[in-house]
Amino acid sequence: MRVLIAEDDLTSRMILTAILRKWGYEVEAAVDGIEALKILQESDPPKLALLDWSMPGLSGVEVCRRLRENQINDSIYIIILTAKSDKKNVVEGLNAGANDYIKKPYDNDELQARINVGKRMVEIQSELEKAKQALTHEVMYDALTGVYNRKAILDLLKKELYQTKRNGGTISVGMCDLDHFKKINDKYGHQTGDEMLRGFADLIKLNLREYDLIGRYGGEEFIIIIPSCENEGNRMDFNRICKVVSDTKIDTRSGPISFTVSIGVTESDGSSSLDEILTEADDALYRAKGNGRNCACFVV
């Protein structure tokens, strides 16, 4: 674990650095509060910091206060090193956002114990953050294909409609349905069918721009959102998707399998409701299937 030591006294800084390295920590050192604040404001700072109370530029308490007030890297565990023993000084440091304090001169055993507490707290915080990210991913993404799930893609569509209405331009929404997907499941089994769905999602992601969106609407149906494009450009995009799919074989446990997709497309300036968009796209999808599948049909 990386630890920041902020101590203006050279001898104290060198002793602390040597001790922490002996205990297995990776040490970064700052000679004053200004340098310490700069390091702690980086995108990937040390998660544990030992700050001397009295330093040139900024005190350790002021460094702590600025980090906490601006909610910058709030997960950093901060220990204040201080020769001040008055209770009001200790309270001041804790109120500034410090997690702990150690009085100088400190005992090495106590120092190690307090640093170990900080390390455990940082590790717990890290695990909680990972769990939070995993939960967020589970809430927003389809477990099978890795694209947005139904709720997430519809929420994003609402936002895109609002942004389009506010900023001008157009938005295109394509309702995609893998052609004859039931036959694939019946012939090769559902595991192969799952691989086809994953392969389709991966293929579409490779052929969309970074600000285009795709989500699984349900079963073998997907929604593609293409914001802020001219109408003719949108038509070309969805026709190109149909061609890319028909030209591609998905590698599965049953071997490479060809397939096609039908797409119903509607366009809006943002004034349409979500229900109107979905109904129009669905109607266009039925026309695409009626026209022989493997094509995109557009609301006229």
Side-chain angles (χ1 to χ4, degrees):
M1 176 178 288
R2 292 162 60 213
V3 179
L4 172 67
I5 295 173
E7 169 66 75
D8 62 306
D9 181 76
L10 176 60
T11 301
S12 298
R13 188 169 66 250
M14 291 179 65
I15 291 173
L16 265 177
T17 298
I19 291 173
L20 265 67
R21 285 177 176 165
K22 181 179 178 181
W23 291 340
Y25 293 96
E26 180 183 344
V27 179
E28 293 185 36
V31 299
D32 56 38
I34 294 175
E35 184 181 6
L37 181 62
K38 181 180 179 181
I39 292 172
L40 295 176
Q41 288 177 329
E42 293 174 352
S43 59
D44 183 26
K47 295 301 183 182
L48 200 155
L50 277 67
L51 308 180
D52 187 32
W53 184 301
S54 301
M55 291 187 293
L58 294 172
S59 69
V61 171
E62 184 59 30
V63 171
C64 187
R65 182 177 290 113
R66 293 195 183 190
L67 283 173
R68 302 313 193 203
E69 285 178 351
N70 296 321
Q71 296 183 328
I72 300 172
N73 297 324
D74 200 44
S75 62
I76 298 171
Y77 192 93
I78 299 177
I79 301 174
I80 296 291
L81 307 176
T82 177
K84 301 176 185 288
S85 58
D86 193 291
K87 184 177 180 179
K88 69 177 183 180
N89 296 123
V90 174
V91 171
E92 179 186 353
L94 295 176
N95 283 339
N99 300 95
D100 200 357
Y101 70 94
I102 300 177
K103 294 180 183 179
K104 292 182 177 181
Y106 46 78
D107 176 82
N108 281 357
D109 289 338
E110 179 187 4
L111 175 65
Q112 186 174 24
R114 291 182 181 271
I115 289 176
N116 285 341
V117 169
K119 178 183 177 183
R120 288 197 297 271
M121 294 301 295
V122 168
E123 290 171 344
I124 290 171
Q125 180 67 31
S126 177
E127 290 302 315
L128 288 173
E129 186 61 32
K130 289 178 182 178
K132 180 181 177 181
Q133 292 174 358
L135 182 59
T136 300
H137 189 277
E138 184 177 339
V139 168
M140 292 188 64
Y141 291 88
D142 177 60
L144 176 63
T145 61
V147 299
Y148 291 112
N149 60 28
R150 180 188 180 107
K151 182 181 185 306
I153 195 65
L154 293 182
D155 286 344
L156 289 168
L157 177 52
K158 289 179 184 177
K159 292 179 181 178
E160 290 293 341
L161 287 169
Y162 172 77
Q163 291 293 335
T164 301
K165 184 176 181 179
R166 180 180 178 181
N167 301 326
T170 61
I171 180 174
S172 288
V173 179
M175 183 76 75
C176 308
D177 187 276
L178 274 65
D179 295 329
H180 304 298
F181 185 72
K182 185 178 182 301
K183 292 183 179 179
I184 293 176
N185 277 334
D186 291 343
K187 182 177 181 179
Y188 300 106
H190 286 85
Q191 289 180 311
T192 295
D194 288 347
E195 291 176 336
M196 293 295 294
L197 293 174
R198 283 194 293 267
F200 172 77
D202 291 340
L203 179 63
I204 299 305
K205 285 190 290 186
L206 287 174
N207 285 274
L208 294 180
R209 301 162 303 181
E210 60 180 358
Y211 47 87
D212 296 331
L213 303 168
I214 177 174
R216 188 180 180 193
Y217 189 62
E220 66 271 23
E221 289 189 329
F222 293 78
I223 290 177
I224 295 175
I225 302 172
I226 299 182
S228 300
C229 292
E230 294 299 328
N231 293 348
E232 186 59 35
N234 288 352
R235 292 173 184 269
M236 292 174 63
D237 284 338
F238 284 104
N239 284 320
R240 180 176 56 84
I241 288 172
C242 289
K243 186 175 189 311
V244 167
V245 171
S246 65
D247 289 345
T248 302
K249 291 185 177 181
I250 301 296
D251 290 325
T252 72
R253 67 189 62 210
S254 303
I257 299 177
S258 300
F259 69 113
T260 60
V261 65
S262 299
I263 308 177
V265 185
T266 185
E267 297 165 344
S268 175
D269 59 3
S271 61
S272 305
S273 69
L274 181 64
D275 285 343
E276 290 171 337
I277 289 287
L278 295 177
T279 298
E280 290 177 358
D282 207 39
D283 289 344
L285 174 61
Y286 276 105
R287 286 196 290 111
K289 289 181 175 293
N291 289 345
R293 306 176 191 266
N294 188 25
C295 64
C297 281
F298 301 82
V299 172
V300 292

